[in-house]
Amino acid sequence: MQPLIIAHRGASANAKENTLSAFERAIAFGADMVEFDVRRTKDRVLVIYHDAEVNEKPIRKLTYSELHILDPDIPTLTEVVDLCKGKIRLDVELKEAGYEKQVMEILRPAFDAESMVVTSFHPFAIRRIKQHYPDVKAGFLFGHGTVKFCKSFRLNAKSVRDRVREMRADFIAPNWQLLSHSLLSQVVMGDRPVWVWTVNDEPLMTDLLGDRRIQGIITDRPDVGMQIRAAHPDAVLTGRL
């Protein structure tokens, strides 16, 4: 199995990120998975958007109707599920903790455990997913800025290993800039896979296809990723999703 090519916020180099158009492009390009960000409005509608605010107004303080007026391109999770069902697997990033059950209630009827993963920078969200939905693969996202989410988090091997064990994460997902950091070789435990974000540089993408630590490449350019992978058929993994 070759490394997965995961469309970051859809094919976001070709269409507005986190929109149905971006997801449609990712499907058309043949990406293995589509990644997107989930937030919740004041009236508890799950929507797909990266930033916490739209026009300097917090999404959590806006109703869905108010949000839709500010940006009509923001889809709901239900709309994305309806679009992607049977066409592409999902990489669902929880931007906040606390609504894991609501997310899964929408995902579960349409996607089985083999067709999706859940990721987050928030250990609480990962723990909740693994506690209540142990069959669903979950990954811990981290980078140089992770400390702002976890006050006790320190970017060193022991801290990351302890976090991963505590939340029972199935894989780790570091920023690509950490790949050359000695931390990564110390963090990889047993057969726990590594996914990396966000890789848009073609030479780097080519190198990662030959790195057996890497099982998923998250990119804004899934079309380029698929082309590079097709040109390197011998770049295979020892592990599986």
Side-chain angles (χ1 to χ4, degrees):
M1 178 177 130
Q2 292 179 301
L4 299 166
I5 301 298
I6 303 144
H8 183 239
R9 307 175 196 168
S12 52
N14 305 92
K16 184 178 178 180
E17 68 176 38
N18 275 330
T19 62
L20 297 180
S21 295
F23 303 144
E24 288 171 344
R25 295 298 293 274
I27 293 168
F29 289 145
D32 297 304
M33 305 184 81
V34 62
E35 186 269 355
F36 53 82
D37 308 293
V38 180
R39 293 189 181 274
R40 189 165 71 175
T41 64
K42 181 180 179 180
D43 52 347
R44 299 175 61 84
V45 177
L46 295 169
V47 296
I48 311 306
Y49 199 74
H50 177 267
D51 296 346
E53 299 180 344
V54 177
N55 294 351
E56 299 183 348
K57 297 180 179 180
I59 289 176
R60 62 184 176 82
K61 293 185 178 181
L62 296 169
T63 66
Y64 175 68
S65 296
E66 292 169 335
L67 180 65
H68 190 68
I69 292 171
L70 293 174
D71 188 342
D73 291 330
I74 298 176
T76 65
L77 177 58
T78 298
E79 289 174 326
V80 173
V81 166
D82 289 343
L83 172 68
C84 295
K85 181 180 179 182
K87 300 175 184 175
I88 193 168
R89 289 181 284 172
L90 306 182
D91 175 357
V92 183
E93 181 182 342
L94 304 182
K95 299 303 289 186
E96 299 142 333
Y99 45 75
E100 299 82 10
K101 181 179 179 182
Q102 185 181 355
V103 168
M104 295 306 298
E105 286 175 345
I106 293 175
L107 293 174
R108 280 294 222 182
F111 290 84
D112 61 25
E114 297 302 315
S115 300
M116 63 177 166
V117 300
V118 175
T119 61
S120 186
F121 287 96
H122 298 274
F124 178 80
I126 298 300
R127 283 199 301 270
R128 286 286 297 275
I129 290 295
K130 294 308 296 181
Q131 178 182 358
H132 297 287
Y133 312 95
D135 59 324
V136 174
K137 299 290 190 301
F140 178 45
L141 293 160
F142 64 93
H144 291 291
T146 305
V147 67
K148 71 181 180 181
F149 296 102
C150 317
K151 292 183 179 179
S152 62
F153 183 85
R154 295 293 179 271
L155 195 57
N156 58 63
K158 183 179 186 304
S159 181
V160 176
R161 282 198 305 267
D162 290 347
R163 286 280 181 180
V164 170
R165 289 192 181 101
E166 179 187 358
M167 67 185 93
R168 294 187 290 160
D170 299 287
F171 61 94
I172 59 172
N175 179 268
W176 70 268
Q177 293 172 312
L178 293 174
L179 288 177
S180 60
H181 197 294
S182 60
L183 171 147
L184 192 62
S185 62
Q186 300 174 58
V187 168
V188 177
M189 299 168 287
D191 60 354
R192 190 170 273 108
V194 177
W195 295 25
V196 63
W197 54 275
T198 301
V199 182
N200 294 320
D201 179 75
E202 293 182 38
L204 176 59
M205 212 179 294
T206 302
D207 289 344
L208 293 179
L209 281 166
D211 188 333
R212 291 188 176 271
R213 299 174 299 175
I214 309 302
Q215 193 173 85
I217 299 173
I218 301 170
T219 176
D220 297 329
R221 306 169 69 195
D223 53 333
V224 174
M226 296 298 289
Q227 292 167 5
I228 293 175
R229 191 177 70 178
H232 296 80
D234 294 331
V236 296
L237 290 169
T238 56
R240 296 193 60 182
L241 173 66

